Amino acid sequence: MKIGDKVRTIGFNEGLVGIVTKVREGFDTQNHGMIEIQITENLKPKVFSWLKSGDLEHFCFYEWNKDLEILEES
């Protein structure tokens, strides 16, 4: 996972597509780090009514593959 990767959300948060803008690594549940993505598509606007294209959303770096899937690497 790195800045510039195109990702989509999976699992509980499925329905968003975006570009990674920040990565802070983390290695356990206490120091979980952070991945920031800039939303490019909201495929479920009724579920994520507060998120628009261009907004930022954050996810844990630790076990990120439970929430995010890389579509294109930068």
Side-chain angles (χ1 to χ4, degrees):
M1 180 67 61
K2 61 189 176 303
I3 294 172
D5 286 353
K6 182 176 181 178
V7 296
R8 73 174 171 183
T9 56
I10 58 175
F12 181 76
N13 292 310
E14 182 180 1
L16 302 171
V17 178
I19 304 295
V20 177
T21 57
K22 288 184 185 176
V23 176
R24 190 180 74 230
E25 292 186 6
F27 304 100
D28 58 34
T29 56
Q30 289 183 321
N31 177 24
H32 53 73
M34 178 269 304
I35 297 170
E36 177 183 85
I37 68 168
Q38 184 173 29
I39 304 300
T40 57
E41 294 180 72
N42 182 347
L43 305 174
K44 293 186 176 180
K46 290 182 180 179
V47 175
F48 301 107
S49 59
W50 65 93
L51 289 172
K52 300 178 207 76
S53 189
D55 287 350
L56 300 174
E57 189 61 39
H58 300 85
F59 299 89
C60 290
F61 179 87
Y62 178 68
E63 296 185 345
W64 63 264
N65 56 340
K66 291 182 178 181
D67 296 314
L68 299 169
E69 176 178 61
I70 297 173
L71 299 176
E72 285 179 32
E73 292 189 28
S74 61

